[in-house]
Amino acid sequence: PLAREDVPEPLRPWIDWVLRGHEAETCPFLAVNGRRACVWPGRLSLTLGANGGTFEQEVIAAIETEVALPGGANGAWPEDVRVGANAASVIEHGGAPSVRLPRGAHTLSGRFVWSAPPPGLRIPVETGLVDLTLNGARVARPRRDADGSLWLRDAGASAVAAGPAANRVDVEVHRRLEDGVPVRLATVITLRASGEAREELLGVALPSGMLPTALASPLPARLDPDGRLRVQVRPGAWTIRVEARLAARADVFGPPAQPKGARWDGAEIWAVALAPQLRLVEIEGAASVDPTQTEMPADWRELPAYLLEPGRALTFVEKRRGNQGSAADQLTLARTWHLDFDGGGATVVDQIGGTLRSSLRLEMGAATALGRAAINGQDQPITKRAGSEQLGVETTLGSLALEADSRVESGARSLPAVGWAHDFDQVSATLMIPPGYRLFHATGVDDAQATWISGWDLLAVFFVLLIGVATWRLFGTPAAVLALATLALIWPEGGAPKLVWLALAVLEALRRVAARGRIGRAIGFAHLAVLIALVVIAVPFAIRQVRVGLFPALERPWERAGRVFEAGVMQEAPAPGLPAAAPAEYLDAAGDAVGSAEITVTARKRSQVVQDIPISVSSFEDSSYGYRSKSNFVADPSATVPTGPGRPDWTWQAVSLSWSGPVTREQQLGLWLVPPWANALLSIARVLLLLALARVFVLAWRSGAPRGGADDAAASSPATAPTAASPTAALLALALLLPASARADDLPTPELLESLRTSLLEAPSCAPHCATLSRVALGVAQDRLDLRIAIDAAAETGVPLPGGGASDAAWLPSTVIVDGAPASGLRRDAQGVLWLRVARGRHEV
C-alpha cells in the first residue's frame, strides 16, 4: 500500500477524509487467512481476592476503536478504570464493558468490588495470556472457556488444595413464548458445571403440549422419551437451546412439572412476544419483572417478561381476533419522480411506511406500471388477482416498510399524486427535473418549492411595478412596457440585475431637476457608477443565459446528469432465461393470492409472452385453531422476481412537493413544464430585452434628455439616437462572446480521492502469506518447553504461534519475548490459536 509519507503534499490533508469509514482496512492482517485485527491485547494480570481485585493490561489499538475490558457479568463490573494515568469512561459495547482508545499503545488498569467471589469472570476472548493470582496464590494454569470466561471457583480450589473439584451443576432457564400460528416456544438453558466430565439427567425441558423441533447444544445432549434433558457435561458454562411448537390450541402456558430430585431450577423467566396482527390478548396469572435485570438473551430484553414459579402459569385472555373492529390503515408515502429527458414519462421510487390493520395486499393504480417491490429489503413477486388488471404485492398486517419502483408512461404533464390504489395519511415527494426543463407551476399540491411562480413574492411585484411606473414617467409608455417585460422575465433568475434599475431611475430623475454645479456633477458621477455596476452585473448574467439556453447541461457543472437506463426498459433480471420486460405489462397471474395455491407469474414484453415462472403462495390453516390466518403470505424463495425499470442516478433540479393532509388515490399532480426549446428562446429574449432596456438608460445619460414629463420624453426616445448607444451595445455584445473565466478548483475530484483511497488501502503483494517461521529451536525440560523462533515478515502482519487450542490439554505459552522485550501484541481467536503481531523485518521470538 501507499505509505502516508509518500502521498503528494496537496493530498496529505485528505488522507483521514478518504479513509473515513475504511479505518479497519488499515489494520494488520492475519497470515494465512488474511482477516484483519485492529485490537492486539497484551498479557492480562489479575489479582483477585474475597472482596474484589485489580487488573492491568497493555493493549495496542491499530485504529481508534472500542476495547473490551474484563468483567461485566455476575456483578463484576470494572471500576476506577484508567488509561495510563488518566481516568476513562466505561460504557457497554457489544454486551461487555469497553473503553474507546485512540490509535497507539495503552496500559489499562482498574479494580473489581464484590461481596463474594463470582464463579467466573468474563474476559475478552481475544486476550491471549492471563496471569491469575487468587487469594494470594498464583494459579499456574487458569482455565478458560471457548468464549473467554475465566473460572475462579475451580481455580481457587486448585490453588488452595490439591484434589478434584466437587461435581456440581447449576441450571438456569429462560423461555420466549411467541404467539402465532402455531405458538412457538424457545427455551435457553444455561448450565454451569464443575468437577469431572460426566453424564447428567436434568429435568423436563418442555411444557406439556409442546413438540420439540430443534435442539442446539455445544455438549452431547438429547431429549429422552419422557421429555427429560440428558447432557454429557464437563466443567464450564454452556448454553443449550430447544425450539418447540404448540401441537394443539391452548391459552394457558407454564413451566413443566419436574420429577422429584431433578436438577432444575424451579423458577423460570418467560418473555412473551404477542402478535397483534392476529389477535389482541391480555396476559394474566404471573407477576411481571424488569427484563433488563435478568440474564436472558439480549434480544429478548425488549419484550415483557414474567416470573413463573412452580405451579404458576400465563393465561391469554383473548379480546379480539384478526382485524375485526380495528382501525384503518395508517400509511405514509415518500415519492421521488425522475422525469424522462424527452418528457414522455417518469420513473417513480416509492418508500411506504406505517401500519397495516386491514389490508393484506397493496396494489398499484391503473396509470402506473409497478416494476419492482421489496418489503424489508426482500424483493417480492408481483402478481395480479383473478379478474383484476392491477399489479400488486402481498403484505402482512402490522408495521410496513415497502420500497417500490414503477413507471408512468402517459406523459409528465399530469401525474398521479400517490399512484397506488390506496389512500395515504401523509405524502411528501421530490420531483427531479432533467436539464433544459423548467417548472413554471405545479397544481394539485399544497406547497411546491423551486418553481418559477414560487420565485415571486409581494415585495418582488412591488419593485417591478415601481420600476415600471418610474420608467414610464421618465421615458414614456414604450420604455415602461419594455421595462415591465424585461423585469418579468429576469427577476426570478439567479444573478439578474434587479434593484440597480430603480437606482438608475432615481438618478435619472435627480439629474433632470438638479442645477449645474457641484451637486449636478456628484449626481453625474453617481449615475456613471451605477451604469458601470449595471454592466458588471448584466454581462455575466447575459453570458450565462446564452450558454444555458443553448447548452442546458452547462447550468450546473457540479451535478451529474448522466442517464443510466433508457426510459421504459427494464434492467435485466439476474435469473437466466428471463429477458428484460417493458414496465407497461410486467406480470400476469392466475389464481387467488391468498390461500394454498399455485400462481403463475408471466413476464411480458410489449404484450408478448416470454416465460412463465411458477411462484408458490401459501397460508397457514389449522382446523384446531378454528380460524385462517391470511397474513402469513410466503413466497417461494427460488421464484424469479422482476427487477423493475431501473433507477436513474442523475441529479439536477429538485423540486420539493408536500401535502398538508391526507392524500387520496384520485388526486392528480399537474405540472406546467417549460420545454428546452422554449427555455432557449426565453434565454435569448432575456438577453435582448436586457440590452434594449440598458440602451434606454445609457441614451438618457449620454444625450442629456430634456427636463420634461412623459410627452417631452417621448420626443427623445431611444429610437432617435441609435448611434449613441453603439459603444455600450458593442461592449455588451463583445462580452457575450468572451469565454467564461477559469475557476481555480481547490478541491480534488472524487476520482482523485477514490484513487488515493485505493492506493492507501491496497494490500501488500505478499498478502496474506507475508510471514515465514524460518527457524524453530525447541528445548525440553521436566516442567516446561522452550521455543526460539525466527520470523521473517515482509509486512506488518499477525503470525500464529505454536500451541494453543480450545481444549484444556492444549499447550499455552506462559511468556512471550519478542526481540528481547515482552510481547505487547497477542491476540487469541475463537479456536484458541494465539497470533503475534510483528512489524516488517526479522524477529527473534
Side-chain angles (χ1 to χ4, degrees):
L2 179 66
R4 285 177 175 254
E5 56 271 14
D6 295 335
V7 175
E9 184 63 33
L11 292 179
R12 289 185 184 179
W14 293 90
I15 292 179
D16 293 335
W17 175 266
V18 299
L19 293 181
R20 183 178 178 86
H22 300 269
E23 293 87 354
E25 300 178 35
T26 64
C27 297
F29 59 88
L30 306 182
V32 181
N33 57 35
R35 291 194 298 267
R36 295 188 179 271
C38 297
V39 178
W40 293 85
R43 181 184 301 274
L44 174 62
S45 299
L46 293 168
T47 303
L48 306 177
N51 298 320
T54 61
F55 70 90
E56 185 174 349
Q57 185 179 23
E58 290 187 359
V59 176
I60 296 177
I63 61 174
E64 183 178 357
T65 184
E66 281 79 14
V67 176
L69 300 175
N74 300 323
W77 188 265
E79 301 179 7
D80 297 338
V81 176
R82 293 184 173 275
V83 179
N86 301 320
S89 299
V90 180
I91 60 174
E92 185 175 2
H93 181 77
S98 305
V99 295
R100 187 167 185 84
L101 298 180
R103 184 173 181 268
H106 309 276
T107 300
L108 301 177
S109 60
R111 66 187 183 96
F112 301 105
V113 177
W114 50 61
S115 58
L121 185 68
R122 186 166 57 185
I123 62 176
V125 67
E126 60 268 16
T127 298
L129 301 181
V130 178
D131 281 346
L132 175 60
T133 300
L134 191 59
N135 297 324
R138 185 178 185 275
V139 180
R141 190 176 180 83
R143 188 164 60 84
R144 299 174 61 184
D145 291 340
D147 61 353
S149 297
L150 178 68
W151 286 97
L152 304 180
R153 243 170 229 177
D154 295 340
S158 62
V160 175
N167 291 339
R168 179 183 175 88
V169 60
D170 296 328
V171 181
E172 188 174 0
V173 181
H174 297 91
R175 302 184 192 268
R176 182 181 187 270
L177 183 66
E178 181 179 355
D179 193 17
V181 184
V183 176
R184 298 186 179 275
L185 181 68
T187 303
V188 173
I189 305 167
T190 303
L191 303 180
R192 294 182 176 88
S194 60
E196 59 185 0
R198 62 198 183 278
E199 183 178 278
E200 290 280 358
L201 182 60
L202 306 178
V204 179
L206 297 175
S208 176
M210 289 288 178
L211 297 180
T213 59
L215 172 63
S217 172
L219 301 173
R222 76 179 187 193
L223 290 174
D224 286 351
D226 59 356
R228 299 185 68 177
L229 180 63
R230 187 181 299 271
V231 185
Q232 296 180 10
V233 301
R234 59 178 184 266
W238 314 98
T239 300
I240 301 175
R241 187 181 181 99
V242 182
E243 302 282 349
R245 67 174 180 87
L246 189 61
R249 178 169 181 173
D251 292 324
V252 179
F253 308 94
Q258 300 295 340
K260 186 177 181 180
R263 295 192 177 184
W264 198 273
D265 191 358
E268 299 180 0
I269 297 179
W270 287 44
V272 180
L274 300 178
Q277 69 273 20
L278 298 180
R279 59 174 178 170
L280 180 64
V281 298
E282 290 185 358
I283 300 176
E284 299 177 353
S288 62
V289 296
D290 184 2
T292 61
Q293 303 299 321
T294 66
E295 303 252 343
M296 67 171 53
D299 55 339
W300 294 6
R301 297 178 186 176
E302 298 179 355
L303 301 173
Y306 302 88
L307 177 64
L308 294 182
E309 301 284 350
R312 303 297 296 272
L314 295 175
T315 302
F316 283 11
V317 181
E318 189 174 290
K319 300 296 184 181
R320 174 177 56 82
R321 181 177 293 277
N323 57 10
Q324 182 179 4
S326 61
D329 300 332
Q330 293 183 349
L331 297 177
T332 62
L333 172 64
R335 310 203 85 188
T336 301
W337 284 286
H338 276 83
L339 300 184
D340 293 346
F341 279 53
D342 58 0
T347 302
V348 190
V349 178
D350 290 331
Q351 302 281 347
I352 300 178
T355 303
L356 290 176
R357 294 191 172 93
S358 59
S359 300
L360 294 174
R361 177 179 173 84
L362 290 180
E363 293 183 336
M364 186 65 76
T368 308
L370 179 62
R372 171 186 172 269
I375 297 178
N376 296 326
Q378 183 68 34
D379 287 343
Q380 301 294 318
I382 300 176
T383 59
K384 292 180 181 177
R385 285 184 177 272
S388 175
E389 293 299 322
Q390 291 182 326
L391 301 175
V393 294
E394 301 296 322
T395 60
T396 61
L397 298 180
S399 60
L400 175 69
L402 184 142
E403 183 180 272
D405 301 341
S406 55
R407 284 283 304 168
V408 176
E409 300 288 355
S410 57
R413 305 294 177 180
S414 179
L415 300 173
V418 296
W420 296 82
H422 301 270
D423 300 335
F424 291 84
D425 297 306
Q426 184 179 353
V427 177
S428 62
T430 301
L431 182 66
M432 304 298 295
I433 301 177
Y437 286 88
R438 184 75 179 270
L439 183 60
F440 180 80
H441 184 52
T443 60
V445 62
D446 295 332
D447 184 34
Q449 297 295 330
T451 65
W452 191 87
I453 292 295
S454 66
W456 288 90
D457 53 19
L458 290 178
L459 189 62
V461 174
F462 170 76
F463 278 118
V464 169
L465 293 178
L466 181 61
I467 296 172
V469 172
T471 307
W472 173 72
R473 293 293 298 172
L474 292 172
F475 305 110
T477 302
V481 173
L482 176 62
L484 290 176
T486 303
L487 294 176
L489 286 179
I490 70 173
W491 197 276
E493 302 296 321
K498 300 176 183 178
L499 297 180
V500 66
W501 303 107
L502 182 60
L504 285 175
V506 171
L507 291 172
E508 175 63 21
L510 293 175
R511 185 187 65 80
R512 294 186 181 189
V513 299
R516 297 183 178 275
R518 185 176 301 175
I519 296 179
R521 288 195 299 272
I523 294 175
F525 284 126
H527 202 168
L528 178 60
V530 175
L531 283 175
I532 295 175
L534 173 63
V535 174
V536 172
I537 299 174
V539 169
F541 173 75
I543 294 174
R544 185 171 183 271
Q545 286 293 315
V546 174
R547 293 176 61 203
V548 172
L550 299 179
F551 306 101
L554 298 178
E555 181 181 7
R556 299 164 180 258
W558 61 90
E559 294 281 9
R560 296 178 55 206
R563 192 175 179 209
V564 178
F565 302 105
E566 291 293 329
V569 179
M570 186 179 73
Q571 181 185 1
E572 185 178 357
L578 182 61
E585 284 185 286
Y586 281 107
L587 303 171
D588 188 13
D592 189 4
V594 179
S596 299
E598 185 76 9
I599 292 183
T600 301
V601 179
T602 304
R604 295 178 178 268
K605 182 176 183 181
R606 304 298 184 190
S607 302
Q608 178 182 2
V609 177
V610 178
Q611 182 180 5
D612 289 341
I613 308 164
I615 296 180
S616 64
V617 182
S618 62
S619 66
F620 188 88
E621 184 175 7
D622 194 329
S623 59
S624 63
Y625 281 78
Y627 74 99
R628 178 184 179 188
S629 169
K630 294 186 177 182
S631 63
N632 285 3
F633 174 82
V634 180
D636 187 354
S638 62
T640 303
V641 295
T643 57
R647 294 185 182 181
D649 64 347
W650 56 267
T651 58
W652 202 254
Q653 183 182 1
V655 178
S656 298
L657 308 174
S658 62
W659 288 259
S660 58
V663 182
T664 62
R665 66 195 74 182
E666 295 85 8
Q667 288 187 232
Q668 293 289 320
L669 175 65
L671 302 179
W672 296 16
L673 287 171
V674 182
W677 63 267
N679 275 321
L681 294 179
L682 289 175
S683 298
I684 302 299
R686 291 187 189 99
V687 174
L688 295 178
L689 291 175
L690 179 64
L691 289 175
L693 184 59
R695 178 173 176 269
V696 171
F697 285 94
V698 171
L699 282 178
W701 175 75
R702 291 285 303 272
S703 63
R707 298 172 177 82
D711 298 334
D712 295 335
S716 58
S717 62
T720 61
T723 58
S726 57
T728 303
L731 178 63
L732 292 175
L734 180 62
L736 292 176
L737 300 178
L738 294 176
S741 59
R743 294 185 303 174
D745 196 355
D746 297 332
L747 301 179
T749 63
E751 293 78 11
L752 183 59
L753 293 179
E754 182 64 28
S755 176
L756 175 61
R757 178 190 296 116
T758 302
S759 301
L760 291 171
L761 299 179
E762 184 179 1
S765 58
C766 60
H769 306 285
C770 290
T772 302
L773 277 65
S774 59
R775 175 174 49 84
V776 179
L778 289 85
V780 181
Q782 182 177 1
D783 58 349
R784 59 184 293 166
L785 177 67
D786 292 333
L787 294 90
R788 293 185 178 273
I789 307 171
I791 298 178
D792 294 327
E796 185 182 26
T797 184
V799 181
L801 295 180
S807 66
D808 293 340
W811 284 83
L812 294 176
S814 60
T815 303
V816 179
I817 304 297
V818 180
D819 298 331
S824 57
L826 278 171
R827 184 180 177 89
R828 177 178 181 264
D829 61 14
Q831 289 73 37
V833 178
L834 289 180
W835 298 80
L836 174 65
R837 173 180 169 272
V838 294
R840 180 179 180 181
R842 183 176 179 82
H843 306 275
E844 293 290 338
V845 180

